[in-house]
Amino acid sequence: MMDLKLTGKRAFVSGSTKGIGSAIATALAREGARVVINGRTDASVSAALSQILGSVPNATIEGFSGDLATPQAAELLGTKFPSVDILVNNLGIFEPKPFEQISDDDWRRFFEVNVLSGVRLSRMYLSGMKDRGWGRIVFISSESAINTPGRMIHYGMTKTAQLAVSRGLAESCAGTAVTVNAVLPGPTNSPGVGEFVNRISGGKPFAEFEKEFFKTVRPTSLLKRFINTEEVASLVAYVCSPLASATNGAALRVDGGVVQTCF
Ligand SMILES: NC(=O)c1ccc[n+]([C@@H]2O[C@H](COP(=O)([O-])OP(=O)(O)OC[C@H]3O[C@@H](n4cnc5c(N)ncnc54)[C@H](OP(=O)(O)O)[C@@H]3O)[C@@H](O)[C@H]2O)c1
């Protein structure tokens, strides 16, 4: 078995009560990291803690409830957990909307939730990582960073912005053992996407919808099915590991081959 050498590392994963975030928190906990998980409510956080402990009984995990789209919650997080070795900026929202209907407030909200939340947490934790001489920051971006969806331009904008921020932050860490990378999942079967599918599938069985989706909406997928959250988490856990020390400033795809370039 490959040892990712994460035992005892302190990790924080934003938006990790379900979906990709929860799978990342679980993978890090399974590798022995001390993980803080996050969602907006005490109820969702404690349900997620029980669920993770169900699959990793010896996990060292704690919870932090707070809406990390706000500076107040970020400040409170910093008071409770003043330093982490690994920061995964996973929190992100998405919604389809025609361009003409995306209001100024929508643009601001998407920027604040998807970009500024991660910028703020990185600013808070980066200097500690540099002082201690080791750290990992990972931004969970999307294939939409490269293939801007015509019906989610505001979302695509935030995912491209994350690439710019992560590359720039990596530059600022040159010569240190702190790495900053972006991971770009493709269509992944998370609860958020499940709700989205329910809304647009018109009651079709999931398997039928999935087959059609990869024929018509994402025909370039090589995987031809939704990615599992665990498949995304495996890559993220590796990037967070000391083994990934030479991977820095990169945009790493776990998109099932949807994006049609090899670099
Ligand atoms: N699923 C995909 O196909 C896909 C593809 C590419 C990229 N991504 C990216 O992957 C990330 C996760 O997506 P997902 O599909 O796993 O999402 P999801 O199923 O909608 O889960 C979102 C998580 O974020 C939490 N959350 C939402 N707003 C929050 C806030 N303001 N503060 C703190 N926590 C908050 C939710 O917890 P509570 O409800 O407990 O607050 C939940 O744990 C996003 O950045 C997304 O853009 C997803």
Side-chain angles (χ1 to χ4, degrees), residues 1-217:
M1 212 172 84
M2 195 174 193
D3 175 10
L4 291 185
K5 302 194 187 310
L6 285 167
T7 305
K9 299 277 189 214
R10 289 158 301 179
F12 178 77
V13 185
S14 68
S16 46
T17 58
K18 49 184 190 259
I20 292 172
S22 165
I24 294 169
T26 306
L28 293 174
R30 188 170 286 124
E31 291 295 328
R34 291 151 50 190
V35 186
V36 179
I37 65 149
N38 159 248
R40 284 161 295 183
T41 66
D42 289 344
S44 66
V45 168
S46 68
L49 288 173
S50 315
Q51 206 203 354
I52 295 175
L53 280 170
S55 55
V56 188
N58 60 350
T60 311
I61 46 169
E62 287 178 80
F64 173 78
S65 51
D67 180 345
L68 286 174
T70 70
Q72 294 83 358
E75 206 179 313
L76 192 58
L77 175 72
T79 312
K80 289 201 172 159
F81 301 98
S83 64
V84 297
D85 306 306
I86 296 165
L87 168 64
V88 182
N89 291 311
N90 166 75
L91 167 60
I93 53 171
F94 41 94
E95 86 188 332
K97 217 176 218 190
F99 175 71
E100 291 81 354
Q101 288 171 26
I102 305 173
S103 66
D104 286 5
D105 280 347
D106 287 333
W107 282 100
R108 282 191 203 98
R109 185 166 57 95
F110 267 74
F111 178 76
E112 291 198 356
V113 179
N114 290 7
V115 184
L116 195 50
S117 62
V119 166
R120 215 180 259 129
L121 297 185
S122 303
R123 193 171 52 208
M124 189 164 89
Y125 287 128
L126 182 60
S127 53
M129 292 178 188
K130 283 180 174 168
D131 290 348
R132 289 186 303 279
W134 195 89
R136 295 282 181 266
I137 299 179
V138 180
F139 285 83
I140 306 302
S141 173
S142 168
E143 50 142 331
S144 300
I146 297 168
N147 292 340
T148 311
R151 287 181 59 81
M152 295 204 286
I153 301 175
H154 53 339
Y155 174 72
M157 172 277 293
T158 64
K159 295 290 144 181
T160 314
Q162 288 181 311
L163 301 189
V165 173
S166 61
R167 177 67 210 184
L169 270 181
E171 294 288 337
S172 85
C173 296
T176 75
V178 179
T179 68
V180 188
N181 291 286
V183 166
L184 284 64
T188 304
N189 195 0
S190 69
V193 162
E195 281 165 32
F196 177 62
V197 166
N198 280 343
R199 250 188 294 145
I200 63 170
S201 67
K204 244 182 231 144
F206 183 82
E208 203 181 303
F209 172 85
E210 185 176 47
K211 210 169 159 197
E212 219 172 279
F213 183 83
F214 287 101
K215 204 180 272 175
T216 56
V217 185

